[in-house]
Amino acid sequence: MAAPDVTIYEVGPRDGLQNEPETVPTAAKLELIQRLGLAGLRRIEATSFVSPRWIPQLADAADLAGILPALPDVVYSALVPNPKGYERFREAGGIQVAACFISASETHNRKNVNCSVDEQIERIRPVAERCREDRVPLRSYVSTVCGCPYEGAVSLDAVVALVAKLLALGIEEISLGDTIGVGHPGQVRELVAAVAAETSLERIALHMHDTYGRALANVQSGYEAGVRIFDTSLGGLGGCPYAPGASGNVATEDVVDLFERAGIETGVDLDALVDTTAWLERAVLQRPLPGRVYRARLGAREHARGRESA
Ligand code: HMG
Ligand code: MG
């Protein structure tokens, strides 16, 4: 099968489920991930090797990693905040890509990982060294690139300087996170242009949250600026536990539909994805998920069923 034109990087099992009030059982996480893989998602962030005291929802990371299905072309990743997390990730096996994270603003970084930005760089450094020795691909998130829930505006220079530091550590892919969804398309265009001066855009992903309803516009702006990797979450599931008021990531269905309608291939089967989100909503979470294309597709299905039975 030819490679799709864009990479949809599914973060629902991690960014979504880390934020659920109730911990989802491991068996349901496994089924979710399997369904996502079968729907054509090729990169799936499965879980986090963070402190179970901080994120109890993902305390089963090692158990889940040990039973993840080997699906053709599917690459799994997991969050790794520090060397301890990397040891747990390696011991568990089953996940190919490690993903560390750091914020462009001091206060969010402290709330999220309990240290300064410089200290977090020093925690990432040995993880990057180990990844190089072990030939494990390493991604890093940079959070709060468009604004911080505690400090407000975040300067473009601070983001670019942090991206440069991470690149110098040998990190292969950097995902720029609009953690609280305050970014706007012009800001994203400027951000991508500034980062493109540091590295090839093949190594840059956009991770947009939809708090203010602009995530899809920001994705479009990022695409036009040359980005080809987009982090999304099925049904718009998620948020950030250390960013008050942050809503979910841009919905996978919305991004897939946006691209496919423009003739840009994602490799994702939208019908199978809608089935997966409907299953998650009804069988696991028992609450409605907000994704717009998801809700529209469900509505259209119900309408068609009503006409058939009339
Ligand atoms: P800390 O308390 O400062 O850690 O937490 P510490 O080094 O002082 O250790 C304290 C205890 O935690 C020790 O245990 C360590 O062994 C243990 P004790 O001796 O007390 O029994 N510990 C660990 N246990 C398991 N796994 C580990 C680990 N590390 C230490 N990896 C730490 C520091 C980073 C661990 C903590 O702050 C943490 O886990 N934070 C994670 C927060 C998080 O997961 N946030 C959400 C993900 S980020 C996000 O959503 C944003 C993103 O989507 C992008 C965007 O939207 O912007 C990625
Ligand atoms: Mg996020």
Side-chain angles (χ1 to χ4, degrees):
M1 200 174 57
D5 301 319
V6 288
T7 298
I8 306 296
Y9 184 111
E10 173 63 48
V11 296
R14 192 280 300 171
D15 207 347
L17 298 186
Q18 76 183 8
N19 216 40
E20 282 299 308
E22 303 288 329
T23 297
V24 169
T26 311
K29 291 176 180 166
L30 178 64
E31 180 164 353
L32 170 63
I33 290 168
Q34 180 138 16
R35 283 172 176 260
L36 287 167
L38 295 175
L41 274 315
R42 293 287 167 263
R43 295 187 67 185
I44 303 176
E45 198 151 279
T47 188
S48 292
F49 291 92
V50 297
S51 163
R53 264 190 246 157
W54 285 59
I55 308 282
Q57 295 91 331
L58 303 183
D60 62 350
D63 293 342
L64 180 64
I67 53 173
L68 285 175
L71 297 172
D73 302 324
V74 174
V75 174
Y76 298 117
S77 56
L79 287 192
V80 167
N82 55 11
K84 164 111 188 180
Y86 186 75
E87 291 311 322
R88 292 178 57 218
F89 164 91
R90 285 295 281 174
E91 219 174 277
I95 298 187
Q96 296 81 20
V97 177
C100 41
F101 51 104
I102 187 165
S103 309
S105 55
E106 281 295 334
T107 317
H108 183 264
N109 198 73
R110 275 191 191 282
K111 299 269 183 192
N112 204 25
V113 287
N114 204 23
C115 67
S116 71
V117 173
D118 285 347
E119 283 163 345
Q120 182 61 5
I121 284 281
E122 294 313 315
R123 287 175 176 177
I124 292 174
R125 189 185 303 280
V127 173
E129 279 162 15
R130 285 293 308 278
C131 284
R132 202 164 32 251
E133 283 164 24
D134 298 340
R135 295 179 187 278
V136 170
L138 180 60
R139 158 184 257 232
S140 180
Y141 291 92
V142 176
S143 291
T144 64
V145 296
C146 295
C148 171
Y150 306 100
E151 296 174 18
V154 172
S155 85
L156 188 57
D157 289 351
V159 176
V160 174
L162 190 50
V163 167
K165 278 187 190 163
L166 293 168
L167 291 168
L169 294 182
I171 286 163
E172 274 122 313
E173 183 174 291
I174 295 185
S175 177
L176 302 171
D178 181 10
T179 316
I180 52 167
V182 289
H184 60 84
Q187 187 179 13
V188 170
R189 197 165 43 243
E190 268 181 41
L191 177 64
V192 172
V195 169
E198 299 293 325
T199 186
S200 155
L201 287 181
E202 282 172 19
R203 298 171 64 184
I204 299 298
L206 286 181
H207 179 105
M208 295 290 144
H209 283 259
D210 201 31
T211 322
Y212 291 88
R214 290 192 292 273
L216 206 57
N218 290 337
V219 165
Q220 175 73 31
S221 176
Y223 179 82
E224 286 167 7
V227 176
R228 294 292 178 267
I229 309 170
F230 298 93
D231 300 356
T232 65
S233 176
L234 75 163
L237 182 70
C240 175
Y242 300 102
S247 70
N249 296 83
V250 65
T252 310
E253 294 85 351
D254 293 8
V255 174
V256 167
D257 191 53
L258 175 80
F259 284 134
E260 293 285 342
R261 279 180 183 261
I264 298 161
E265 285 180 22
T266 63
V268 178
D269 175 342
L270 190 51
D271 273 326
L273 180 59
V274 168
D275 290 343
T276 301
T277 307
W279 165 81
L280 181 70
E281 184 179 272
R282 287 175 193 156
V284 183
L285 304 178
Q286 287 153 4
R287 67 176 174 84
L289 289 170
R292 290 182 180 84
V293 168
Y294 166 63
R295 298 239 68 87
R297 286 275 188 138
L298 270 193
R301 283 180 182 183
E302 274 157 28
H303 184 68
R305 268 199 298 274
R307 283 164 60 126
E308 269 167 30
S309 62

